[in-house]
Amino acid sequence: MTGSPSLRAYLGLGSNLGRREAYLAAAAARLTACGVRVTAVSRVYETRPQDVDAPQPDFLNAVVEVEWDGEPEALLRLALDVEALYGRVRPAQGSARGPAPRTLDIDLLLVAGAGDALVLRAGPELTLPHPRLRDRAFALRPLLDVVPPEPAAGWLGADIARRAEELAAVQGVREWGPFPDWEPDAYTPGSLAPATPPRHVGTAFRCLAATGSTNDVAREWAAAGAPAGAVVVADAQTRGRGRRGRGWHTPPGGALALSLVLRPAWPAGRLTLLPLAAGVAVARAAGRAAAVRCGLKWPNDVLVRGRKLAGILVEVLGPDPAAAGVVLGIGVNLNLPLHRFPPDVRERATSLLHESGAPVRRPAFARELLSELDVWIDALDREPDAVLAAWRGLSVTLGREVEVVHGAETVRGKAVDVDATGALILETASGERRLVAGEVTA
Ligand code: BTN
């Protein structure tokens, strides 16, 4: 990951050879796999080829909005690599007949930096904004689907929307359909709902752009009668809560903050297994969605190579959990480069983006996690030993000499097992100790 600030950029995609819509979809997927975050896509437009003197098939054109942690020149080079990968051969300079048909053509149209300031460049390799943008309806029309109206008028001229419509009519640009195979990277009830009816998780959804803490929203919803299995998800939290009175950082666009309302009627000693079951679910979802291997640190941290990927916070809402409810809160760092973490946690935190080198589609990860939670909460109902066995298999605590801080006491010893309630069993110099809570510090 680079330390460069994020840029918002707009890329024009075109294809007039072969399965044109498949090339547009492949370009967006390939850019995503290369670390470019595709944040919005335009509709697809069909366009007569411009500036050619021999007949050619019509183009499909679209524009994608992306976020990129680097310089515009590096983004352009990446786009040209993707173009080359899918077969586009650039014509020799000065070709008399104009460009040949092409499977994929990518242009960098516009780049905005901090505070929407337009990034300007003038040079042989890259001129920004693209020098012919105001005259090309096939780029301008889809661009205006994804550029917010205020900056668009400021960057391209107050007349830009009217100009796009007028040019589109003259240049034969017409709507073709939605961008193929693309799912917005946003949490919505539709993007999170399970394909088959859930047993325990995903009975109702609240998806928020930003909130103080999803655990607080879930608590209030539980008090107001939320059904068991109700889920609150937020794009960002302003007062995310961690364990032991700490905060939890959830900036927009990069993480998953999820809280689940449960009303379990479990026998005594079972509820304390819930954080362990949740850790197993997160670890398995990370493995499936991003091929990242996680380890579980007792009682409920999800680590990758010693850094924290996710945290779990269980809050019991009253003496009878079946009636008052329990809130299971999970925070997972998804598409956060390390420089987006606050300095005090940067050395200890990680994200799926950092570990796998590629952004994950956040709703797809959330669906994977909800489905794993459904499996492991069902296991808590019916075969809690399976949860313990799965946790032991992923544990990075068992078998190690550790120090556990519990209140004012620090206990040292070898972590040998967890018991049926999830308590940690330590072999210490003065005999076996059973710890129901605490923080493993070494
Ligand atoms: C920890 O300290 O390890 C636990 C962190 C838990 C964070 C999650 S994010 C979703 C939910 N809302 C919160 O305010 N906290 C939890």
Side-chain angles (χ1 to χ4, degrees), residues 130-137 140 155-160 163-164 167 171:
H130 192 288
R132 293 186 295 283
L133 181 55
R134 263 186 65 89
D135 302 319
R136 289 179 158 183
L140 207 46
W155 296 338
L156 300 169
D159 65 332
I160 202 65
R163 184 171 174 86
L167 283 179
Q171 296 177 359

Side-chain angles (χ1 to χ4, degrees), residues 213-215 237 240-243 248 258-259 308 311-312 330-331:
S213 155
T214 53
N215 265 31
Q237 296 185 120
R241 267 204 308 285
R243 292 169 64 225
W248 184 261
L258 180 149
S259 298
K308 187 153 164 172
I312 293 160
I330 304 179

Side-chain angles (χ1 to χ4, degrees), residues 54-123:
Q56 284 191 14
D58 284 354
F59 273 91
L60 290 188
N61 289 102
V63 167
V64 294
E65 179 188 71
V66 304
E67 276 177 12
W68 170 247
D69 300 320
E71 293 299 321
E73 285 77 6
L75 176 61
L76 177 67
R77 280 196 295 278
L78 186 61
L80 296 182
D81 283 350
V82 173
E83 206 185 77
L85 180 72
Y86 290 113
R88 196 250 163 124
V89 179
R90 284 194 168 260
Q93 288 283 322
S95 156
R97 290 165 50 85
R102 62 212 97 156
T103 47
L104 183 62
D105 185 11
I106 307 185
D107 286 324
L108 180 50
L109 303 175
L110 269 178
V111 176
D116 276 346
L118 198 54
V119 173
L120 303 174
R121 288 278 197 282

